[in-house]
Amino acid sequence: MSATAAPPAPSAEPQEPVLRKPSTRKRLVPYWLLLPGILWLLVFFALPLVYQASTSVQTGSLEQGFEVTWHFQTYVDALREYWPQFIRSLLYAGTATVLCLLLGYPLAYLIAFKAGRWRNLVLVLVIAPFFTSFLIRTLAWKTILADGGAVVDVLDTLHVLDVTGWLGWTEPGRVLATPMAVVCGLTYNFLPFMILPLYTSLERIDGRLHEAAGDLYATPATTFRKVTFPLSMPGVVSGTLLTFIPASGDYVNAELLGSTDTKMVGSVIQSQFLRVLDYPTAAALSFILMAIVLLAVTVYIRRSGTEDLV
């Protein structure tokens, strides 16, 4: 008589883990971490912006006081009277940005791919000017571009001043107090803002991509055009924005290296605030400049084909 087989023991089915909802305290942690930054922006950015907006539509004088009368005609008058300074600011800032890109890209490429053990030293040299006051650095250019100096003599000998004079950027035998001097100051002061984002973007590129391009018989020029430059576009966009935006509102270089014919809109705003004491006009000029720069930046980002600025 055969033994009856025992029935198999029921298999224990795996139970799904119970997902517990995070407590209210844990859900609020990110917001508590953001709170200091939000408060900082509200106190030092949003509130001053609102105050300047109200100032731009006020009327009155310093003696009688100012009051909000919603006088938007101030914007029209400011733009009608100072439009040459706006054009000049955008032209100088745009030229300085292009020069920074042309000078900064080769240096950033050298640091990222060719510097080797000297990389940290070169990076220190790039940021070394920041250890000196912006004002002192700009004043130094008055000595560099002084009439009869070595730089002016070399440029005159090479007939560079003949070309820049024909363009209206210099005067015969003179660079200081001309548009070229202002652009040189802007380019020098904001060049690190171009180099550092470019270096960060280039340093992330995998070197094996260059090797793969070489294996596919791509020339160095083709590799740069098809691989390196497209992958470095986030750095190009970031660098140009970090250079153009502050340069368009700068007034120190125009004041110290330029003349009355090279005044930028930043100089006008500074004069209206601190000398003329016409606060509504100064505030209106500030908002017009902000709107122009914001529009230019938006168009540039869309045309560049990338919104990844990291």
Side-chain angles (χ1 to χ4, degrees), residues 74-122:
T74 305
Y75 285 86
V76 178
D77 296 338
L79 189 58
R80 181 187 297 117
E81 184 175 356
Y82 297 108
W83 67 266
Q85 283 79 5
F86 281 105
I87 299 297
R88 194 177 296 135
S89 298
L90 297 178
L91 178 62
Y92 291 175
T95 304
T97 301
V98 173
L99 291 176
C100 285
L101 180 60
L102 295 177
L103 295 173
Y105 201 103
L107 182 56
Y109 186 93
L110 175 68
I111 299 173
F113 299 118
K114 305 296 183 181
R117 61 176 181 173
W118 302 102
R119 176 181 298 180
N120 293 334
L121 176 61
V122 180

Side-chain angles (χ1 to χ4, degrees), residues 92-174:
Y92 291 175
T95 304
T97 301
V98 173
L99 291 176
C100 285
L101 180 60
L102 295 177
L103 295 173
Y105 201 103
L107 182 56
Y109 186 93
L110 175 68
I111 299 173
F113 299 118
K114 305 296 183 181
R117 61 176 181 173
W118 302 102
R119 176 181 298 180
N120 293 334
L121 176 61
V122 180
L123 284 174
V124 171
L125 294 177
V126 169
I127 64 176
F130 288 123
F131 293 99
T132 307
S133 170
F134 186 92
L135 184 63
I136 294 176
R137 283 183 278 141
T138 307
L139 285 172
W141 274 87
K142 296 191 70 173
T143 303
I144 296 173
L145 301 177
D147 298 343
V151 174
V152 176
D153 291 342
V154 171
L155 294 177
D156 199 10
T157 303
L158 297 176
H159 300 286
V160 175
L161 295 184
D162 295 337
V163 178
T164 55
W166 178 74
L167 294 174
W169 283 70
T170 58
E171 299 176 1
R174 179 178 176 83

Side-chain angles (χ1 to χ4, degrees), residues 44-288:
F44 296 104
F45 178 75
L47 292 180
L49 201 64
V50 172
Y51 177 76
Q52 289 298 325
S54 65
T55 302
S56 66
V57 292
Q58 292 179 358
T59 55
S61 63
L62 191 63
E63 294 79 11
Q64 300 176 355
F66 295 93
E67 61 177 345
V68 178
T69 57
W70 305 106
H71 190 259
F72 291 100
Q73 184 64 29
T74 305
Y75 285 86
V76 178
D77 296 338
L79 189 58
R80 181 187 297 117
E81 184 175 356
Y82 297 108
W83 67 266
Q85 283 79 5
F86 281 105
I87 299 297
R88 194 177 296 135
S89 298
L90 297 178
L91 178 62
Y92 291 175
T95 304
T97 301
V98 173
L99 291 176
C100 285
L101 180 60
L102 295 177
L103 295 173
Y105 201 103
L107 182 56
Y109 186 93
L110 175 68
I111 299 173
F113 299 118
K114 305 296 183 181
R117 61 176 181 173
W118 302 102
R119 176 181 298 180
N120 293 334
L121 176 61
V122 180
L123 284 174
V124 171
L125 294 177
V126 169
I127 64 176
F130 288 123
F131 293 99
T132 307
S133 170
F134 186 92
L135 184 63
I136 294 176
R137 283 183 278 141
T138 307
L139 285 172
W141 274 87
K142 296 191 70 173
T143 303
I144 296 173
L145 301 177
D147 298 343
V151 174
V152 176
D153 291 342
V154 171
L155 294 177
D156 199 10
T157 303
L158 297 176
H159 300 286
V160 175
L161 295 184
D162 295 337
V163 178
T164 55
W166 178 74
L167 294 174
W169 283 70
T170 58
E171 299 176 1
R174 179 178 176 83
V175 177
L176 198 61
T178 64
M180 183 176 177
V182 178
V183 171
C184 286
L186 291 173
T187 303
Y188 167 75
N189 282 308
F190 294 106
L191 183 59
F193 292 98
M194 178 69 74
I195 295 176
L196 295 178
L198 286 173
Y199 162 73
T200 302
S201 184
L202 288 168
E203 196 267 339
R204 293 179 179 178
I205 299 177
D206 192 342
R208 292 175 296 182
L209 296 176
H210 294 161
E211 297 177 1
D215 294 340
L216 295 174
Y217 303 102
T219 62
T222 303
T223 302
F224 175 79
R225 183 167 53 89
K226 294 290 188 178
V227 178
T228 306
F229 188 75
L231 292 177
S232 66
M233 273 303 296
V236 173
V237 174
S238 300
T240 50
L241 293 181
L242 290 175
T243 303
F244 177 79
I245 293 175
S248 60
D250 181 77
Y251 72 92
V252 175
N253 291 276
E255 286 288 328
L256 299 180
L257 302 178
S259 64
T260 55
D261 296 329
T262 60
K263 296 294 184 183
M264 300 171 64
V265 69
S267 302
V268 178
I269 295 173
Q270 184 264 352
S271 177
Q272 292 291 329
F273 261 122
L274 302 180
R275 298 178 187 176
V276 183
L277 304 180
D278 187 357
Y279 301 144
T281 299
L285 288 170
S286 301
F287 271 92
I288 293 174

